[in-house]
Amino acid sequence: MNRWTQYLFEEHDEKKLRKWSRRLKFFRFFRALGGHANDGDSLDVAFAYVEPAQLDTFLAGLGIKLVKFDAPPPQPLPGDAYPGDAYLQFPSLIDGTLWQQPGRCDIMGIEVFIWCHAGVLKISLHDGYAVSEQNVRDAEAIEKLLARVVLERIEPPADSLHYIFP
């Protein structure tokens, strides 16, 4: 077994990942980059969008209301240092809008992480740094809502060998 295969199946064996992959229509298992990246495994799905209005419609269909600012909110200044708690007060904005990134939010009471950047909306599920059977069940439930989405799904969610899909 080479090092990549060993790493890929370190947390979940191949049989389990194949089973999960067959159960999921849209979400894909992502094996963390590892090392010093401080990332974790996740289940991800991504959609392409052209105009911000598409995001608003898409997210409203999932029960998520975007925070929209009438004027540009304060943003951190490049080169200035901020204490962690002060930096967290600056809202992250979706590119080309005055709308706050959804970030951590709920879909049908299920905690997800949503980020919109460079024409891609990505939804991620995980338990800390891992993916659990509960995450797979939650993804299956969310996929019922996603089945009627008109945005183009990106397959895989990003160009990476770390995605496992059928």
Side-chain angles (χ1 to χ4, degrees):
M1 178 181 294
N2 67 32
R3 178 64 188 124
W4 168 247
T5 306
Q6 181 183 357
Y7 175 70
L8 188 61
F9 302 118
E10 196 169 58
E11 297 296 321
H12 305 290
D13 64 36
E14 184 176 0
K15 184 177 177 182
K16 179 189 284 187
L17 290 177
R18 285 186 185 278
K19 182 179 172 186
W20 284 354
S21 181
R22 284 190 300 271
R23 288 171 53 193
L24 298 171
K25 292 183 175 105
F26 306 133
F27 280 91
R28 301 298 177 233
F29 179 82
F30 179 79
R31 181 64 171 123
L33 297 175
H36 296 287
N38 196 28
D39 64 338
D41 296 345
S42 60
L43 294 176
D44 300 338
V45 63
F47 295 91
Y49 67 92
V50 178
E51 299 178 11
Q54 293 174 302
L55 293 176
D56 201 21
T57 303
F58 177 92
L59 293 169
L62 298 177
I64 298 167
K65 184 173 171 56
L66 287 168
V67 174
K68 299 177 181 181
F69 299 97
D70 294 327
Q75 293 291 285
L77 299 173
D80 285 2
Y82 299 91
D85 57 340
Y87 188 80
L88 291 175
Q89 301 304 310
F90 296 111
S92 294
L93 300 178
I94 297 172
D95 301 338
T97 74
L98 293 179
W99 304 347
Q100 187 169 334
Q101 288 281 358
R104 293 200 184 284
C105 52
D106 287 358
I107 299 174
M108 302 179 341
I110 300 165
E111 184 178 309
V112 298
F113 186 81
I114 300 178
W115 201 257
C116 309
H117 177 70
V120 176
L121 176 147
K122 185 167 96 171
I123 303 171
S124 298
L125 284 162
H126 54 83
D127 282 334
Y129 288 95
V131 170
S132 67
E133 174 63 30
Q134 182 61 52
N135 293 138
V136 175
R137 287 193 298 270
D138 290 343
E140 288 174 311
I142 292 170
E143 284 184 339
K144 291 175 184 169
L145 286 177
L146 297 177
R148 60 181 186 237
V149 167
V150 296
L151 294 181
E152 178 184 352
R153 190 166 50 89
I154 299 170
E155 182 71 273
D159 187 15
S160 173
L161 292 174
H162 289 256
Y163 278 107
I164 297 175
F165 58 99

